[in-house]
Amino acid sequence: MASIKCASCGSEFTLNQNHPYHAGFSQLGFLYCDKDTTVVSWNDIADNVYRRLAGNKAPWALTAEEQETVENALKGCPCGGRFKFRNPLRCPRCKAVMKEGISEESIYLYILGVWIDGESTNIWK
Ligand SMILES: [Zn+2]
Ligand SMILES: [Zn+2]
């Protein structure tokens, strides 16, 4: 199992995956929750709802307005938080930013807590 270390408090956490997924190669869009480490993901190519909302655009290529459309169409996190493009992955212990959310430069999906996989469950309202 891979792990991730918080640069701020030094805590190390085990990831729920063997290695961070490269969202570009696996055609994944993903957003972190604004309250915990839950991450939601979907397949950019195969997800019909995403395609209807965003066309053929990759998640990191969307305009702010298009991002909001996608965010508003997503179900909330079970914890009560919201999935947003600008949410980074925060340290569960000290809340410092560990990884930025999805962008062209920051394209790896880290699964630290719960992973809501849009390919096996309905993530849309
Ligand atoms: Zn920390
Ligand atoms: Zn949450």
Side-chain angles (χ1 to χ4, degrees), residues 32-38 74-84 87 116:
Y32 296 113
C33 172
D34 55 9
K35 292 200 176 144
D36 61 13
T37 55
T38 301
L74 283 168
K75 288 180 182 172
C77 179
C79 82
R82 297 269 328 264
F83 298 110
K84 301 255 190 188
N87 292 345
I116 301 176

Side-chain angles (χ1 to χ4, degrees), residues 21 23 25-29 39-48 74 109 115-124:
Y21 298 122
F25 294 151
S26 42
Q27 286 148 351
L28 281 180
V39 61
V40 66
S41 70
W42 63 87
N43 184 308
D44 300 343
I45 308 297
D47 194 305
N48 290 328
L74 283 168
L109 164 60
W115 175 29
I116 301 176
D117 180 4
E119 294 193 73
S120 60
T121 178
N122 179 30
I123 60 172
W124 309 101

Side-chain angles (χ1 to χ4, degrees), residues 83-95:
F83 298 110
K84 301 255 190 188
F85 279 84
R86 63 169 178 272
N87 292 345
L89 177 62
R90 290 186 183 277
C91 172
R93 202 149 293 161
C94 75
K95 306 295 177 200

